[in-house]
């Protein structure tokens, strides 16, 4: 799909949702083979996935509304009394496990669910996660050489005094990537030791940046030695020729998974189930591997550029086993403490 075609598709889908909302009814009422999905996938990812779906299910029309993770959470809660969509697609598990959200979901076991390991599924069948993203460092090789710095291989290495002022991180209050980094450190080390570590790390942090990708971008540009970011941004920047190395922390990579579920209120459940079934199909999985560093579904082929950048084929071997329920339940408290002690 061309850039223009992708943009046009997104506009058409967004307009369909908006127009139906203005008329006061759910787009799912319009036609038995028409559904509405809410997602937090990036726009280019979602457009590519939908284009692949359309090739396999040409009779199924999918109206999509794409919002950031936090904005989507707020919208779903605001619409709780009258949900306007059939499927929640590619949304952070940390948000999905909110009990208020879980109450909106209907258990469903799609075709092919056995290809998704149990650790990536809700025990009650209300959601499953097939894609995700994980933390990684973008380390500028030229800056290391120029400043005679060692290659960091772990979070612990970033505490070394020679990295003072050379590290940038996302702000966890505004960035999902930033929050997963903080949450993973607290979970790996325990809260007391984790907060001690974050305070010590703070001495070497030059900036906390709102975006999850920007720390990698500024490190890639040579402004700092290390940008704590996420793996796919590092892979893309390496592929674009930036002089960086992707480092997955030796302690393990904090991660967020992107989940899918069927809305209990859907009025077109058969069509919604067809869509959800497709998300575990061979064609879908092949498309995920082109866009995502974490694909939980068995099958598919990792792009050569991902392997060359240093992403292990066994992604699970480097992922922290995140407790998403804990991350969700403690998010507000953790962010308040981080803002009180460390934000600047």
């Amino acid at each position: 799909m061309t850039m223009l075609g992708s943009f046009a598709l997104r506009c058409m889908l967004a307009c369909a949702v908006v127009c139906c909302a203005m008329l006061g009814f759910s787009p799912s009422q319009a036609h038995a083979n028409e559904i509405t999905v809410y997602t937090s996938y990036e726009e280019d990812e979602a457009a590519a996935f939908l284009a692949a779906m359309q090739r396999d299910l040409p009779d199924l029309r999918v109206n999509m509304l794409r919002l950031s993770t936090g904005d989507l959470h707020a919208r779903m809660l605001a619409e709780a009394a009258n949900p306007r969509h059939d499927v929640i697609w590619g949304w952070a598990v940390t948000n999905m496990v909110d009990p208020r959200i879980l109450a909106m979901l209907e258990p469903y076991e799609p075709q092919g669910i056995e290809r998704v390991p149990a650790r990536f599924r809700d025990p009650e069948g209300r959601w499953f996660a097939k894609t995700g993203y994980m933390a990684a460092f973008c380390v500028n090789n030229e800056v290391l050489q120029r400043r005679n710095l060692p290659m960091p291989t772990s979070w612990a290495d970033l505490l070394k005094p020679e990295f003072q002022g050379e590290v940038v991180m996302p702000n966890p209050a505004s960035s999902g990537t930033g929050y997963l980094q903080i949450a993973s450190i607290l979970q790996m080390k325990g809260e007391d030791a984790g907060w001690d570590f974050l305070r010590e790390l703070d001495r070497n942090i030059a900036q906390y940046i709102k975006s999850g990708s920007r720390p990698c971008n500024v490190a890639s540009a040579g402004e700092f030695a290390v940008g704590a970011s996420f793996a796919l941004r590092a892979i893309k920047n390496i592929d674009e020729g930036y002089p960086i190395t992707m480092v997955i922390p030796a302690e393990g990579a904090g991660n967020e998974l992107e989940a899918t579920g069927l809305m209990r209120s859907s009025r077109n459940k058969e069509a919604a189930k067809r869509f959800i079934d497709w998300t575990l199909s061979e064609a879908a999985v092949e498309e995920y591997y082109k866009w995502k560093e974490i694909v939980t579904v068995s099958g598919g082929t990792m792009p050569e550029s991902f392997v060359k950048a240093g992403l292990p084929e066994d992604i699970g071997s480097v992922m922290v086993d995140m407790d998403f329920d804990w991350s969700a339940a403690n998010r507000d408290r953790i962010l308040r403490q981080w803002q009180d002690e460390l934000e600047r």
Side-chain angles (χ1 to χ4, degrees), residues 12-30:
M12 177 186 71
L13 296 176
C15 287
V17 174
V18 172
C19 290
C20 289
M22 291 175 62
L23 291 172
F25 61 88
S26 168
S28 60
Q29 293 175 266

Side-chain angles (χ1 to χ4, degrees), residues 150-170:
M151 175 65 71
T153 62
S154 64
W155 282 107
D157 284 347
L158 299 185
L159 301 184
K160 295 177 180 178
E162 52 263 49
F163 282 102
Q164 185 172 11
E166 291 292 346
V167 182
V168 287
M169 285 183 65

